[in-house]
């Protein structure tokens, strides 16, 4: 019967199942670069189509859906304008997200995420089957794909690097290693806050040339690059930053990586794991969605505080505190080498 709780519940599910078209539309907006053409004010969709090379009808339909989510607004019939979230899609936004949207909706992620059901059944990352190799091996062989991933990842992390750096305890003169630090945005933010600290950006060899440290005069002379594979060795440090890495990997690989850090660490070292911490139960968290991406593209998974504590303990580390970052989906988990064995 219309309006019954049963119908409402069923209709809710049907609303949810078409939700995947929102990120698809976001990708269309990012690919066309339509937001850049609205920087000077509202414009008719016909003009936007001509400026972006899109079809008028297609672009209208994409913008109309996004406008229902507050991303763009239909200021007058057939005339669209930026909203604050749409402005973040412009190239020169203070906190741009276009490359991050392209990375998260790239076929590497999108096709894999479409196979959550298969990964749920066989327990394996769909990515390896679809693309014929594990994610980072695939990137090592595809310079264009890895450049898009690194740029997108840097933008994604760009929002959280400063608040995370503010939450990291770094003693004076400490040597900080940003382990698998990508383009080094977090290391750069940490070195800016701690003018007597030095740092090493450690990542796979093909990733390091894109680093942001070289462009920042505030950190000149205080950093070095070290290519390597964290599964075998890592440089010595007083502080290890391990951001958005453990969620990529299964527990055995994480334990191996953390033990490698503990073995290389200088006396009194701190290991700072920066990852989402999953709330228990039904509490919503962005990482409950990202977890399914981890399930389909990598062998990893997101973790609760209790899971992190157990993982660290298995690697001979003691979790000393968890610092949540306001308004960001990640926390800083501080650990030290356990003295109780
Ligand atoms: C999800 S990204 C995180 C990057 C950065 N820490 C951040 O938060 O933006 C994972 C990083 O791990 C690096 N990586 C993957 N496998 C690695 C390995 N075996 N050794 C060193 N780095 C690795 C990748 O190149 C990539 O930069």
């Amino acid at each position: 019967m219309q309006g019954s709780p049963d119908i409402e519940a069923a209709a809710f599910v049907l609303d949810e199942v078409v939700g995947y078209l929102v990120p698809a539309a976001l990708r269309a907006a990012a690919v066309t670069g339509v937001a850049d053409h609205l920087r000077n004010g509202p414009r008719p969709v016909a003009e936007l189509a001509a400026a972006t090379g899109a079809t008028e009808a297609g672009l209208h339909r994409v913008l109309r859906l996004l406008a229902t989510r507050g991303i763009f607004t239909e200021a007058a019939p057939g005339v669209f304008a930026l909203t604050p979230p749409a402005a973040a899609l412009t190239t020169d936004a203070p906190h741009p997200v276009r490359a991050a949207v392209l990375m998260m909706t790239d076929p590497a992620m999108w096709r894999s995420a479409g196979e959550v059901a298969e990964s749920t059944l066989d327990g394996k990352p769909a990515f390896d089957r679809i693309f014929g190799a594990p994610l980072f091996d695939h990137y090592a062989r595809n310079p264009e794909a890895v450049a898009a991933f690194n740029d997108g990842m840097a933008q994604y992390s760009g929002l959280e690097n400063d608040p995370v750096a503010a939450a990291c305890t770094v003693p004076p003169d400490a040597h900080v290693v940003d382990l698998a630090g990508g383009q080094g945005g977090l290391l750069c933010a940490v070195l800016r806050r701690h003018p007597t600290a030095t740092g090493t950006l450690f990542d796979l060899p093909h990733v390091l040339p894109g680093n942001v440290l070289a462009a920042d005069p505030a950190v000149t002379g205080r950093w070095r690059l070290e290519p390597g594979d964290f599964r075998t060795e890592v440089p010595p440090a007083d502080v290890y930053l391990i951001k958005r890495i453990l969620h990529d990997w299964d527990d055995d690989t994480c334990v191996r990586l953390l033990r490698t850090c503990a073995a290389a660490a200088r006396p009194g070292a701190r290991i700072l794991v920066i990852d989402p911490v999953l709330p228990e139960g039904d509490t919503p968290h962005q990482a409950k969605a990202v977890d399914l991406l981890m399930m389909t593209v990598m062998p990893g998974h997101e973790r609760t505080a209790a899971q992190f504590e157990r993982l660290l303990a298995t690697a001979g580390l003691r979790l000393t505190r968890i610092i949540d970052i306001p308004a960001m989906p990640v926390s800083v988990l501080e650990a030290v080498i356990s003295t109780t064995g």
Side-chain angles (χ1 to χ4, degrees), residues 285-308:
H285 194 293
Q286 189 201 74
K288 288 185 178 177
V290 176
D291 182 51
L292 297 190
L293 194 57
M294 293 304 119
M295 178 161 100
T296 54
V297 300
M298 288 292 291
H301 60 98
E302 304 291 353
R303 295 178 172 86
T304 62
Q307 287 174 317
F308 272 116

Side-chain angles (χ1 to χ4, degrees), residues 218-232:
V219 302
T220 302
R222 293 193 288 130
W223 55 272
R224 54 190 289 275
L225 304 175
E226 187 164 332
D229 183 334
F230 57 48
R231 288 167 295 192
T232 48

Side-chain angles (χ1 to χ4, degrees), residues 135-136 139 146 149-150 153-158 160-161 178-186 202-207 227-233 241-245 247-249 274 294 298:
L135 182 75
F136 287 112
Y139 281 146
V146 77
F149 174 80
N150 291 337
M153 198 60 227
Q155 266 193 4
Y156 200 92
S157 288
E160 59 201 21
N161 283 337
D178 192 357
L179 210 64
Q183 296 188 347
L186 177 59
F202 182 92
D203 207 299
L204 297 169
H206 57 272
V207 177
D229 183 334
F230 57 48
R231 288 167 295 192
T232 48
E233 60 177 339
L241 306 171
I242 309 177
K243 179 165 154 311
R244 290 195 179 276
I245 301 304
H247 77 158
D248 286 345
W249 300 97
I274 300 120
M294 293 304 119
M298 288 292 291

Side-chain angles (χ1 to χ4, degrees), residues 190-282:
V190 166
L191 293 182
R192 288 179 73 93
R193 277 181 180 272
H194 300 279
T196 57
T198 55
T200 298
L201 176 62
F202 182 92
D203 207 299
L204 297 169
H206 57 272
V207 177
L208 297 175
N211 77 82
V212 297
L213 294 150
D216 190 337
V219 302
T220 302
R222 293 193 288 130
W223 55 272
R224 54 190 289 275
L225 304 175
E226 187 164 332
D229 183 334
F230 57 48
R231 288 167 295 192
T232 48
E233 60 177 339
V234 303
D238 302 295
V239 177
Y240 288 97
L241 306 171
I242 309 177
K243 179 165 154 311
R244 290 195 179 276
I245 301 304
L246 297 191
H247 77 158
D248 286 345
W249 300 97
D250 57 276
D251 286 3
D252 286 349
T253 307
C254 291
V255 167
R256 198 156 15 119
L257 158 61
L258 293 167
R259 283 193 176 137
T260 308
C261 289
R266 291 181 177 160
R270 277 189 184 80
I271 287 117
L272 304 181
V273 171
I274 300 120
D275 250 336
V277 176
L278 287 181
E280 307 274 359
D282 295 346

Side-chain angles (χ1 to χ4, degrees), residues 5 33 36 62 70 118 162 175 228 243 252 312 324 330 334:
D36 277 345
V62 163
E118 286 74 3
D162 274 331
H175 189 73
K243 179 165 154 311
D252 286 349
L312 290 161
D324 293 330
V330 290
E334 267 191 18

Side-chain angles (χ1 to χ4, degrees), residues 5 89 109 141 154 183 189 252 281:
L89 289 167
M109 307 290 168
R141 288 184 223 134
Q183 296 188 347
D252 286 349

